């Protein structure tokens, strides 16, 4: 007899949220593989200066990498890490390198200065950029958690970093954008560790 093959699809929180917001966008992006053209930018100084901006995805991924590999703020080591990350970006324009490093460093520094972050980063048992998945009906749910850690009560908790340039008054609205993602992460963590309650926190690095 021929061996049976089980075909399941993997769905991330981002894909599900995209489908809920706009099924057409989901089809174009995830089924046809057509990339988005309206890439957001992160302005470093004046919004009108086109030479002084950085792709928001690059800004966010750099901060994520720093928070993944550095458990405490060491300016010299973090600057070296930022420089190494920027070297790997083939389209990176080094003209404004010093200004870019300065702005990334400023946001990272304020994040590490947060008492909440200091407490979380002092805990011994944790996983960073932890990919977690589980079966859901006929398919798989999948997600990558920025930091999964055990608190002082030995319970697994979720910490997810979000970057972006927006007014502080908009935080409550921004949180709503990620509720589905946090619920999915909590559900998968609950399933994996057989833990009834899973605390999930969103940290906006601009306002730690």
């Amino acid at each position: 007899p021929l061996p049976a093959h089980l075909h399941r699809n993997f769905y991330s929180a981002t894909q599900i949220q995209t489908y809920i917001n706009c099924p057409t966008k989901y089809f174009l992006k995830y089924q046809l593989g057509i990339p988005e053209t309206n890439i957001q930018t992160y302005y470093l100084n004046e919004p009108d200066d086109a030479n002084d901006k950085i792709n928001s995805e690059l800004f966010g991924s750099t901060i994520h990498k720093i928070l993944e590999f550095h458990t405490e703020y060491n300016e010299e080591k973090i600057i070296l890490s930022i420089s190494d990350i920027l070297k790997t970006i083939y389209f990176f324009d080094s003209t404004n390198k010093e200004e870019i490093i300065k702005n990334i460093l400023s946001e990272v520094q304020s994040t590490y200065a947060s008492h909440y972050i200091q407490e979380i980063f002092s805990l011994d048992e944790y996983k960073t950029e932890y990919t977690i998945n589980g079966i859901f009906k006929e398919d798989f749910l999948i997600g990558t958690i920025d930091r999964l850690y055990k608190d002082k009560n030995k319970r697994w908790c979720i910490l997810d970093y979000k970057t972006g340039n927006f007014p502080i008054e908009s935080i409550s609205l921004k949180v709503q954008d990620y509720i589905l993602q946090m619920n999915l992460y909590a559900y998968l963590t609950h399933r994996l560790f057989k833990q009834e309650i899973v605390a999930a926190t969103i940290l906006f690095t601009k306002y730690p």
Side-chain angles (χ1 to χ4, degrees):
L2 293 174
H5 293 279
L6 182 62
H7 296 283
R8 295 181 186 271
N9 292 316
F10 284 81
Y11 294 101
S12 68
T14 303
Q15 288 175 294
I16 297 171
Q17 189 68 61
T18 300
Y19 181 81
I20 292 172
N21 293 341
C22 180
T24 300
K25 180 179 177 180
Y26 172 87
F27 179 74
L28 293 174
K29 184 175 182 179
Y30 296 109
Q31 299 298 314
L32 299 184
I34 300 175
E36 294 183 68
T37 56
N38 58 331
I39 298 176
Q40 294 181 334
T41 53
Y42 192 102
Y43 291 96
L44 300 177
N45 276 330
E46 296 300 325
D48 296 331
D49 188 353
N51 295 318
D52 201 25
K53 62 187 181 180
I54 183 173
N55 183 291
S56 61
E57 186 175 342
L58 171 58
F59 188 92
S61 63
T62 302
I63 290 180
H64 274 73
K65 284 293 183 185
I66 298 302
L67 295 173
E68 177 184 357
F69 293 111
H70 296 269
T71 56
E72 60 183 8
Y73 184 79
N74 182 305
E75 187 165 309
E76 184 178 351
K77 291 181 179 180
I78 289 176
I79 288 175
L80 287 175
S81 292
I82 295 172
S83 297
D84 288 341
I85 292 169
L86 295 179
K87 287 177 185 177
T88 66
I89 311 300
Y90 74 93
F91 58 83
F92 175 66
D93 180 4
S94 61
T95 305
N96 298 317
K97 180 179 177 181
E98 290 186 8
E99 188 69 17
I100 289 170
I101 291 177
K102 176 184 174 182
N103 282 272
I104 293 176
L105 191 65
S106 174
E107 190 149 322
V108 166
Q109 184 178 21
S110 64
T111 301
Y112 280 102
S114 163
H115 293 301
Y116 174 75
I117 284 295
Q118 291 174 8
E119 181 180 350
I120 299 305
F121 279 29
S122 68
L123 298 171
D124 294 327
E125 195 167 356
Y126 63 90
K127 306 172 188 292
T128 58
E129 293 301 311
Y130 186 66
T131 299
I132 187 170
N133 60 68
I135 296 175
F136 184 75
K137 295 185 177 180
E138 299 300 319
D139 297 301
F140 281 102
L141 296 176
I142 187 170
T144 300
I145 300 172
D146 292 333
R147 194 176 191 89
L148 185 66
Y149 65 93
K150 266 191 178 179
D151 65 11
K152 294 178 180 179
N153 297 314
K154 302 302 180 183
R155 294 176 301 189
W156 286 106
C157 303
I158 295 165
L159 177 61
D160 200 71
Y161 314 124
K162 299 299 179 187
T163 58
N165 197 16
F166 58 88
I168 192 169
E169 296 82 8
S170 302
I171 281 186
S172 58
L173 291 176
K174 297 293 289 185
V175 167
Q176 297 305 312
D177 293 339
Y178 305 112
I179 292 297
L180 185 146
Q181 180 186 21
M182 293 298 99
N183 284 335
L184 185 146
Y185 288 173
Y187 170 74
L188 292 176
T189 302
H190 152 74
R191 288 275 302 270
L192 179 62
F193 296 105
K194 305 296 189 291
Q195 184 175 301
E196 191 62 29
I197 298 175
V198 178
T201 302
I202 299 171
L203 179 86
F204 292 100
T205 58
K206 188 173 177 66
Y207 307 108

